[in-house]
Amino acid sequence: MVESLQQPATGPADSGEIERFDAIIIGAGVTGLYSLYRMRELGFTVQAFDDGGGVGGTWYWNRYPGCRFDSESYSYGYSFSEELLQEWDWKEHYSAQPENERYLNYVADKFDLRKHIRLNSRVTGATFDEEANCWEVRLEDGHRARGQFLITSVGILSSGYVPDFEGIHDFKGPWCHTGKWPAEGMDLAGKRVGVIGTGASGVQLITEIAKEVGHLTVFQRTANYCAPLRNGPIDDQTQQEIKSSYPDIFKKCMETPGSFMHQFDPRSAMSVSKEERHALYEELWQEGGFKKWLSNFYDVMLPGEANEDYAEFVRNKIRERVHDPVVAEKLVPKDHMFGSKRLPCESGYYEVYNQDNVLLVDVREAPIERITPKGVKTIEAEYELDVIIYATGFDAVTGSLAKLDIKGIGGKTLKDKFAGGPRTYMGVSSAGFPNLFTINAASVGNFVRAAEPLVDWVSEAMAHVRDHGHSRITATVEAEDAWVQHVNEDGAKVLRTQANSWFVGANIPGKARVLLTAPDTAPVMRAKRNAVSANGYEGFILE
Ligand code: NA7
């Protein structure tokens, strides 16, 4: 199946000729596909470049076993086409990567987007031509293209991070990162497999491969709070109900902080009795996905007593599932608040540690010293392995932008400008980089729900520039400074800046510790953007 979705590079053969478009989109994933659609609808000529062999971005690259949504499938799909909503049958409540990739291919075909996409085409750089007011984009194969607007729909978690372990290339067996899983798969059956990392990717992967490997060694640095996903197939009747309630589903999503289907309970956990509080905890625990996180008492997601009360509830759920109390305690998170990191959902993760052929190695206690030809060596022991899998996460948000060598006014690079953290106005625009929309830096939460209104806003801003006879739009330095100050000050108050995670760049050694996305909820962000456009693009210079 996977092979048949792969395609050769499309577009004109490289003749040295520079192609010209109104907008160039880097990335043909969830936001790239919708950007193509939306911008074309507004009459722009568009071209997307993607280094993948197929469309889908995250859902093209993350082919590791177990990879799936933690959002309800029907809350994740595009909402812009009623026909698409009615035609597409999600098979499971939390759909897996192969189906997600099929969906995005279906969208590309249905809306005839492929003719605007050049696959297997890695963008290596983009320079703003100050005379012509356009971006010139360079590709690895020497191809060049020009566009008035440049859209980086490169995803927030697309630049895979593999720690710089000594001896990493000495390992004799196959190894890979979860985000670059080979299309042909990895043969793990009966093998001694080591997995480094226990974030959302590691948790999904470990649960799945534990069913087939000969022996599994999990190298864990930080224990996570993980909650049951409770996935299942969607039966025909439910399918019909879903299809008839899309307006309600999307309305609900648009009202919540992270654009998920779940609304917090407006009561404080501490305002009700212990019995009542635990009754809700238990009830939510039986529900699917993020409900136990995002439908909980509102103050569970604020630092303080309620948060710790719920954290202890989750810790006890972990203890109940792991037979060996010593192993259980290693799996119980004690060094960060519940919800300060992304909550991985799981389908049997903790039971994996009850298998005789699974070993949990705590690499905070005994750090990894090096990779050897035979496996992984911590300061205490060497673990012999046939395969190593790095589930070690991503250089989030700015990592993919830094790789692009984007040069704005005066040849200044975005990489240098963002070295201390992203310097943008609302995540989308950066002073000195006219007509560049960094949509990957502005999107967070239930991805498509956040991306659609963002892409709509950017597309309308582009149309405004065109229709008013302007040639450039750029954030002012003042608007950008105020935004950065807002991110720093208000970001410090939100739960997700309280732990060491990709949200704040703390997973990458040497990376500045800054909230990489907006501290605002999705409805607030939409309102802010809409106010800016309603006020004649306040905070932007239109020239
Ligand atoms: P994450 O959530 O960043 O997890 C990466 C994991 O790798 C995490 O357990 C890290 O431990 C571990 N890690 C990273 N570097 C090392 C080193 N040097 N040694 C040992 N362990 C290490 O990435 P995921 O891919 O799981 O998830 C990313 C997002 O994708 C997720 O939020 C979803 O939205 C989808 P740490 O916790 O830093 O101690």
Side-chain angles (χ1 to χ4, degrees), residues 293-357:
W293 185 20
L294 303 174
S295 290
N296 221 312
F297 298 101
Y298 79 90
D299 52 353
V300 159
M301 281 300 284
L302 297 174
E305 211 184 340
N307 179 279
E308 177 51 25
D309 190 65
Y310 190 64
E312 194 54 23
F313 171 85
V314 180
R315 291 183 194 120
N316 287 331
K317 287 289 182 198
I318 299 170
R319 290 179 179 118
E320 280 169 18
R321 290 170 62 185
V322 182
H323 299 161
D324 181 336
V326 177
V327 177
E329 280 317 299
K330 284 186 182 169
L331 289 164
V332 168
K334 298 176 187 109
D335 61 355
H336 61 279
M337 286 180 269
F338 175 83
S340 59
K341 289 186 166 204
R342 200 268 210 198
L343 178 77
C345 291
E346 50 79 33
S347 306
Y349 176 64
Y350 291 109
E351 285 71 17
V352 163
Y353 297 96
N354 296 332
Q355 290 181 206
D356 292 339
N357 63 342

Coordinates of all heavy atoms in Angstrom, one line a residue, residues 293-357:
W293 N -8.0 14.5 30.2 CA -7.1 15.6 30.3 C -7.9 16.9 30.1 O -7.8 17.8 31.0 CB -6.0 15.5 29.2 CG -4.9 16.5 29.1 CD1 -4.5 17.3 30.1 CD2 -4.1 16.7 28.0 NE1 -3.4 18.0 29.7 CE2 -3.1 17.7 28.4 CE3 -4.0 16.2 26.7 CZ2 -2.2 18.2 27.5 CZ3 -3.1 16.7 25.8 CH2 -2.1 17.7 26.2
L294 N -8.7 17.0 29.1 CA -9.3 18.3 28.7 C -10.8 18.4 29.1 O -11.4 19.5 28.8 CB -9.1 18.4 27.2 CG -7.6 18.4 26.7 CD1 -7.6 18.4 25.2 CD2 -6.8 19.5 27.3
S295 N -11.4 17.4 29.7 CA -12.8 17.5 30.1 C -12.8 17.5 31.7 O -13.8 17.4 32.3 CB -13.7 16.4 29.6 OG -13.9 16.6 28.3
N296 N -11.6 17.6 32.2 CA -11.5 17.5 33.7 C -11.8 18.8 34.3 O -12.1 19.8 33.6 CB -10.0 17.1 34.0 CG -10.0 16.1 35.1 OD1 -10.6 16.3 36.1 ND2 -9.2 15.1 34.9
F297 N -11.8 18.9 35.7 CA -12.0 20.1 36.4 C -11.0 21.1 35.8 O -9.8 20.7 35.6 CB -11.8 20.0 37.9 CG -12.7 19.0 38.5 CD1 -12.3 17.7 38.8 CD2 -14.0 19.4 38.9 CE1 -13.2 16.8 39.4 CE2 -14.9 18.6 39.5 CZ -14.5 17.3 39.8
Y298 N -11.4 22.4 35.6 CA -10.5 23.3 34.9 C -9.2 23.5 35.6 O -8.1 23.7 35.0 CB -11.2 24.7 34.7 CG -11.2 25.5 35.9 CD1 -10.2 26.4 36.2 CD2 -12.2 25.4 36.9 CE1 -10.1 27.2 37.3 CE2 -12.2 26.2 38.1 CZ -11.1 27.1 38.3 OH -11.1 27.8 39.4
D299 N -9.2 23.4 37.0 CA -7.9 23.7 37.6 C -6.9 22.5 37.7 O -5.8 22.7 38.2 CB -8.2 24.3 39.0 CG -9.1 23.5 39.9 OD1 -9.7 22.5 39.4 OD2 -9.3 23.8 41.1
V300 N -7.4 21.4 37.1 CA -6.4 20.3 37.0 C -5.3 20.7 36.0 O -4.1 20.3 36.1 CB -7.1 19.0 36.5 CG1 -6.2 18.0 35.8 CG2 -7.9 18.3 37.6
M301 N -5.6 21.6 35.1 CA -4.6 22.1 34.2 C -3.9 23.4 34.6 O -3.4 24.2 33.8 CB -5.2 22.3 32.8 CG -5.4 21.0 32.1 SD -3.8 20.1 31.8 CE -3.2 21.1 30.5
L302 N -4.0 23.7 35.9 CA -3.3 24.9 36.5 C -2.4 24.3 37.6 O -2.7 23.4 38.3 CB -4.3 25.9 37.1 CG -5.3 26.5 36.1 CD1 -6.3 27.4 36.9 CD2 -4.6 27.4 35.1
P303 N -1.2 25.0 37.7 CA -0.3 24.5 38.8 C -1.0 24.6 40.1 O -1.8 25.6 40.3 CB 0.9 25.5 38.7 CG 0.8 26.1 37.4 CD -0.6 26.1 36.9
G304 N -0.9 23.7 41.0 CA -1.5 23.8 42.3 C -2.1 22.5 42.8 O -1.8 21.4 42.3
E305 N -2.9 22.6 43.8 CA -3.5 21.4 44.5 C -4.2 20.4 43.7 O -4.1 19.2 43.7 CB -4.4 21.9 45.7 CG -4.4 21.1 46.9 CD -5.4 21.6 47.9 OE1 -5.8 22.8 47.8 OE2 -5.8 20.8 48.8
A306 N -5.1 21.0 42.8 CA -6.0 20.2 41.9 C -5.1 19.4 41.0 O -5.3 18.2 40.7 CB -6.9 21.0 41.1
N307 N -4.1 20.0 40.4 CA -3.2 19.3 39.5 C -2.5 18.2 40.2 O -2.4 17.1 39.7 CB -2.2 20.4 39.0 CG -1.2 19.7 38.0 OD1 -0.2 19.1 38.4 ND2 -1.5 19.9 36.7
E308 N -2.0 18.4 41.4 CA -1.3 17.3 42.1 C -2.2 16.2 42.5 O -1.9 15.0 42.5 CB -0.6 17.9 43.3 CG 0.2 16.9 44.2 CD 1.1 16.0 43.5 OE1 1.6 16.3 42.4 OE2 1.3 14.9 44.1
D309 N -3.5 16.6 42.9 CA -4.4 15.6 43.2 C -4.7 14.6 42.1 O -4.7 13.4 42.2 CB -5.8 16.3 43.6 CG -6.7 15.3 44.3 OD1 -6.4 14.8 45.4 OD2 -7.8 15.1 43.7
Y310 N -4.9 15.2 40.9 CA -5.1 14.4 39.7 C -3.9 13.6 39.3 O -3.9 12.4 38.9 CB -5.6 15.2 38.5 CG -6.1 14.3 37.4 CD1 -7.2 13.5 37.6 CD2 -5.5 14.3 36.2 CE1 -7.7 12.7 36.6 CE2 -5.9 13.4 35.2 CZ -7.0 12.6 35.4 OH -7.5 11.8 34.4
A311 N -2.7 14.2 39.4 CA -1.4 13.5 39.1 C -1.3 12.3 40.0 O -0.9 11.2 39.4 CB -0.3 14.5 39.4
E312 N -1.7 12.4 41.2 CA -1.6 11.2 42.1 C -2.6 10.1 41.7 O -2.3 8.9 41.7 CB -1.8 11.6 43.6 CG -1.4 10.6 44.6 CD 0.1 10.0 44.5 OE1 0.9 10.7 43.9 OE2 0.3 8.9 45.0
F313 N -3.7 10.5 41.2 CA -4.7 9.6 40.7 C -4.1 8.8 39.5 O -4.2 7.6 39.5 CB -6.0 10.4 40.3 CG -7.0 9.5 39.5 CD1 -7.9 8.8 40.2 CD2 -7.0 9.5 38.1 CE1 -8.9 8.0 39.5 CE2 -8.0 8.8 37.4 CZ -8.9 8.0 38.1
V314 N -3.5 9.5 38.6 CA -2.9 8.9 37.4 C -1.7 8.0 37.8 O -1.6 6.9 37.3 CB -2.5 9.9 36.4 CG1 -1.9 9.3 35.2 CG2 -3.6 10.8 36.0
R315 N -0.9 8.5 38.8 CA 0.2 7.6 39.3 C -0.3 6.3 39.8 O 0.2 5.2 39.5 CB 1.0 8.4 40.4 CG 1.7 9.6 39.9 CD 2.5 10.2 41.0 NE 3.0 11.5 40.6 CZ 2.7 12.7 41.2 NH1 1.9 12.6 42.3 NH2 3.1 13.8 40.8
N316 N -1.4 6.4 40.5 CA -1.9 5.1 41.1 C -2.5 4.2 40.0 O -2.4 3.0 40.1 CB -3.0 5.4 42.2 CG -2.4 6.0 43.4 OD1 -1.2 5.6 43.7 ND2 -3.1 6.8 44.2
K317 N -3.0 4.8 39.0 CA -3.5 4.0 37.8 C -2.3 3.2 37.2 O -2.5 2.1 36.8 CB -4.2 4.9 36.8 CG -5.5 5.4 37.2 CD -6.6 4.3 37.2 CE -7.9 4.8 37.5 NZ -8.8 3.7 37.9
I318 N -1.2 3.9 37.1 CA 0.0 3.2 36.6 C 0.4 2.1 37.5 O 0.7 1.0 37.1 CB 1.2 4.2 36.4 CG1 0.7 5.3 35.4 CG2 2.4 3.5 35.9 CD1 1.7 6.5 35.3
R319 N 0.5 2.4 38.8 CA 0.9 1.4 39.8 C 0.1 0.1 39.7 O 0.6 -1.0 39.9 CB 0.9 2.0 41.2 CG 2.0 3.0 41.4 CD 1.9 3.6 42.8 NE 2.9 4.6 43.0 CZ 2.7 5.9 43.3 NH1 1.5 6.4 43.4 NH2 3.7 6.7 43.4
E320 N -1.3 0.3 39.5 CA -2.2 -0.8 39.5 C -1.9 -1.8 38.3 O -2.2 -2.9 38.3 CB -3.6 -0.3 39.3 CG -4.3 0.2 40.5 CD -5.6 0.9 40.1 OE1 -6.2 0.7 39.0 OE2 -6.1 1.7 41.0
R321 N -1.3 -1.2 37.3 CA -1.2 -2.0 36.0 C 0.2 -2.8 35.9 O 0.3 -3.7 35.1 CB -1.4 -1.1 34.8 CG -2.9 -0.7 34.7 CD -3.1 0.3 33.7 NE -2.7 -0.1 32.3 CZ -2.8 0.7 31.3 NH1 -3.1 2.0 31.4 NH2 -2.5 0.3 30.1
V322 N 1.2 -2.3 36.7 CA 2.5 -2.9 36.5 C 2.8 -3.9 37.7 O 2.7 -3.4 38.8 CB 3.6 -1.8 36.4 CG1 5.0 -2.4 36.2 CG2 3.2 -0.8 35.3
H323 N 3.0 -5.1 37.4 CA 3.2 -6.1 38.5 C 4.3 -5.9 39.4 O 4.2 -6.0 40.6 CB 3.3 -7.5 37.9 CG 2.1 -7.9 37.0 ND1 2.1 -8.9 36.1 CD2 0.8 -7.4 37.0 CE1 0.9 -9.0 35.5 NE2 0.1 -8.1 36.1
D324 N 5.5 -5.6 38.8 CA 6.7 -5.4 39.6 C 6.7 -4.0 40.2 O 6.8 -3.0 39.5 CB 7.9 -5.7 38.7 CG 9.2 -5.6 39.5 OD1 9.3 -4.9 40.6 OD2 10.2 -6.2 39.1
P325 N 6.6 -3.9 41.5 CA 6.5 -2.6 42.1 C 7.8 -1.7 41.9 O 7.6 -0.5 41.8 CB 6.4 -2.8 43.6 CG 6.6 -4.3 43.9 CD 6.5 -5.0 42.5
V326 N 8.9 -2.3 41.7 CA 10.1 -1.5 41.4 C 10.0 -0.9 40.0 O 10.3 0.3 39.8 CB 11.4 -2.4 41.6 CG1 12.7 -1.6 41.2 CG2 11.5 -2.9 43.0
V327 N 9.6 -1.7 39.1 CA 9.4 -1.2 37.7 C 8.3 -0.2 37.7 O 8.4 0.9 37.0 CB 9.1 -2.4 36.7 CG1 8.8 -1.9 35.3 CG2 10.2 -3.4 36.7
A328 N 7.2 -0.5 38.4 CA 6.1 0.5 38.4 C 6.6 1.8 38.9 O 6.3 2.9 38.3 CB 5.0 -0.1 39.3
E329 N 7.4 1.9 39.9 CA 7.8 3.2 40.5 C 8.7 3.9 39.4 O 8.7 5.2 39.4 CB 8.6 3.0 41.8 CG 7.6 2.9 43.0 CD 6.4 3.8 43.0 OE1 6.6 5.1 43.0 OE2 5.3 3.3 43.0
K330 N 9.4 3.2 38.6 CA 10.2 3.8 37.6 C 9.3 4.5 36.5 O 9.7 5.4 35.9 CB 11.1 2.8 36.9 CG 12.3 2.4 37.7 CD 13.3 1.5 36.9 CE 14.4 1.1 37.8 NZ 15.3 0.1 37.3
L331 N 8.2 3.9 36.3 CA 7.2 4.4 35.3 C 6.3 5.5 35.8 O 5.6 6.1 35.0 CB 6.4 3.2 34.8 CG 7.1 2.2 33.9 CD1 6.3 0.9 33.8 CD2 7.4 2.7 32.6
V332 N 6.4 5.7 37.1 CA 5.5 6.8 37.7 C 6.2 8.1 37.6 O 7.3 8.3 38.2 CB 5.2 6.4 39.1 CG1 4.5 7.5 39.9 CG2 4.2 5.2 39.1
P333 N 5.6 9.1 37.0 CA 6.3 10.4 36.9 C 6.2 11.2 38.2 O 5.1 11.2 38.8 CB 5.5 11.1 35.8 CG 4.2 10.4 35.6 CD 4.4 9.0 36.2
K334 N 7.3 11.7 38.6 CA 7.3 12.4 39.9 C 8.0 13.8 39.8 O 8.0 14.6 40.7 CB 8.0 11.6 41.0 CG 7.3 10.3 41.2 CD 8.1 9.4 42.2 CE 7.5 8.1 42.4 NZ 8.3 7.0 41.8
D335 N 8.6 14.0 38.6 CA 9.4 15.3 38.5 C 8.7 16.4 37.7 O 9.4 17.4 37.4 CB 10.8 14.9 37.9 CG 10.6 14.3 36.5 OD1 9.5 14.1 36.0 OD2 11.7 14.1 35.8
H336 N 7.5 16.2 37.2 CA 6.8 17.3 36.5 C 5.3 17.1 36.7 O 4.8 16.1 37.1 CB 7.2 17.3 35.0 CG 6.8 16.0 34.3 ND1 7.5 14.9 34.3 CD2 5.7 15.8 33.5 CE1 6.9 14.0 33.5 NE2 5.8 14.5 33.0
M337 N 4.6 18.3 36.5 CA 3.2 18.3 36.8 C 2.4 17.6 35.7 O 2.8 17.7 34.5 CB 2.7 19.8 36.9 CG 3.2 20.4 38.2 SD 2.6 22.1 38.2 CE 3.9 23.0 37.5
F338 N 1.3 17.0 36.0 CA 0.4 16.4 35.0 C 0.0 17.5 34.0 O -0.4 18.6 34.4 CB -0.9 15.8 35.7 CG -1.8 15.3 34.7 CD1 -1.7 14.1 34.1 CD2 -2.9 16.1 34.2 CE1 -2.6 13.6 33.2 CE2 -3.7 15.7 33.2 CZ -3.6 14.4 32.7
G339 N 0.1 17.2 32.8 CA -0.3 18.2 31.7 C 0.7 19.2 31.4 O 0.5 20.0 30.4
S340 N 1.9 19.2 32.0 CA 2.9 20.1 31.7 C 3.7 19.6 30.4 O 4.4 20.4 29.8 CB 3.9 20.4 32.8 OG 4.5 19.2 33.2
K341 N 3.5 18.3 30.2 CA 4.0 17.8 28.9 C 2.8 17.2 28.2 O 1.8 17.0 28.8 CB 5.0 16.6 29.2 CG 6.3 17.0 29.7 CD 7.2 15.8 29.8 CE 8.6 16.2 30.1 NZ 9.6 15.2 29.6
R342 N 2.9 16.9 26.9 CA 1.9 16.4 26.1 C 1.5 15.0 26.7 O 2.4 14.2 27.0 CB 2.4 16.3 24.7 CG 1.3 16.2 23.7 CD 1.0 14.8 23.4 NE 0.6 14.7 22.0 CZ 0.0 13.6 21.5 NH1 -0.3 12.6 22.4 NH2 -0.4 13.6 20.3
L343 N 0.2 14.7 26.8 CA -0.2 13.5 27.4 C -0.2 12.4 26.3 O -1.1 12.4 25.5 CB -1.6 13.6 28.0 CG -2.3 12.4 28.6 CD1 -1.7 12.1 30.0 CD2 -3.8 12.5 28.7
P344 N 0.7 11.4 26.4 CA 0.6 10.3 25.4 C -0.6 9.4 25.8 O -0.9 9.1 26.9 CB 1.9 9.5 25.6 CG 2.8 10.5 26.3 CD 1.9 11.3 27.2
C345 N -1.4 9.0 24.8 CA -2.4 8.1 25.0 C -1.9 6.7 24.6 O -1.1 6.6 23.7 CB -3.7 8.4 24.2 SG -4.5 9.9 24.8
E346 N -2.4 5.7 25.3 CA -1.8 4.3 25.0 C -2.9 3.2 25.0 O -4.0 3.4 25.5 CB -0.7 4.0 26.1 CG -1.2 4.3 27.5 CD -2.0 3.2 28.2 OE1 -1.8 2.0 27.8 OE2 -2.9 3.5 29.0
S347 N -2.5 2.1 24.5 CA -3.4 1.0 24.4 C -2.7 -0.3 24.8 O -2.3 -1.1 24.0 CB -3.9 0.8 22.9 OG -4.4 2.0 22.4
G348 N -2.3 -0.3 26.1 CA -1.6 -1.5 26.7 C -0.2 -1.2 26.9 O 0.6 -2.2 27.1
Y349 N 0.2 0.1 27.0 CA 1.6 0.4 27.2 C 2.2 -0.2 28.5 O 3.2 -0.8 28.5 CB 1.8 1.9 27.2 CG 3.2 2.4 27.5 CD1 4.3 2.1 26.6 CD2 3.5 3.2 28.6 CE1 5.5 2.5 26.9 CE2 4.8 3.6 28.9 CZ 5.8 3.3 28.1 OH 7.1 3.7 28.3
Y350 N 1.5 0.0 29.6 CA 2.1 -0.4 30.9 C 2.2 -1.9 31.0 O 3.1 -2.4 31.6 CB 1.3 0.3 32.0 CG 1.5 1.8 32.1 CD1 0.5 2.7 31.7 CD2 2.7 2.3 32.4 CE1 0.7 4.0 31.7 CE2 3.0 3.6 32.4 CZ 2.0 4.5 32.1 OH 2.2 5.8 32.0
E351 N 1.2 -2.6 30.4 CA 1.3 -4.1 30.5 C 2.5 -4.7 29.8 O 2.9 -5.8 30.1 CB 0.0 -4.7 29.8 CG -1.3 -4.6 30.7 CD -1.8 -3.1 30.9 OE1 -1.4 -2.3 30.0 OE2 -2.6 -2.9 31.8
V352 N 3.1 -3.9 28.8 CA 4.3 -4.3 28.1 C 5.4 -4.7 29.1 O 6.1 -5.6 29.0 CB 4.8 -3.2 27.1 CG1 6.2 -3.5 26.7 CG2 3.8 -3.1 25.9
Y353 N 5.4 -3.9 30.2 CA 6.4 -4.1 31.2 C 6.2 -5.3 32.1 O 7.0 -5.6 33.0 CB 6.6 -2.8 32.1 CG 7.1 -1.6 31.1 CD1 6.2 -0.7 30.6 CD2 8.4 -1.6 30.8 CE1 6.6 0.2 29.7 CE2 8.9 -0.6 29.9 CZ 7.9 0.3 29.4 OH 8.4 1.3 28.5
N354 N 5.1 -5.9 31.9 CA 4.8 -7.2 32.6 C 5.3 -8.4 31.8 O 5.3 -9.5 32.3 CB 3.3 -7.4 32.9 CG 2.8 -6.3 33.9 OD1 3.6 -5.8 34.7 ND2 1.5 -6.0 33.7
Q355 N 5.7 -8.1 30.6 CA 6.3 -9.2 29.7 C 7.7 -9.6 30.2 O 8.5 -8.7 30.5 CB 6.3 -8.8 28.3 CG 5.0 -8.6 27.6 CD 5.1 -8.2 26.1 OE1 4.2 -7.5 25.6 NE2 6.2 -8.5 25.4
D356 N 8.0 -10.9 30.1 CA 9.3 -11.4 30.6 C 10.4 -10.9 29.7 O 11.6 -10.8 30.1 CB 9.3 -12.9 30.5 CG 8.4 -13.5 31.6 OD1 8.1 -12.7 32.6 OD2 8.0 -14.7 31.5
N357 N 10.0 -10.6 28.4 CA 11.1 -10.2 27.4 C 11.3 -8.7 27.3 O 11.8 -8.2 26.3 CB 10.8 -10.8 26.1 CG 9.5 -10.3 25.5 OD1 8.6 -9.8 26.2 ND2 9.3 -10.5 24.2

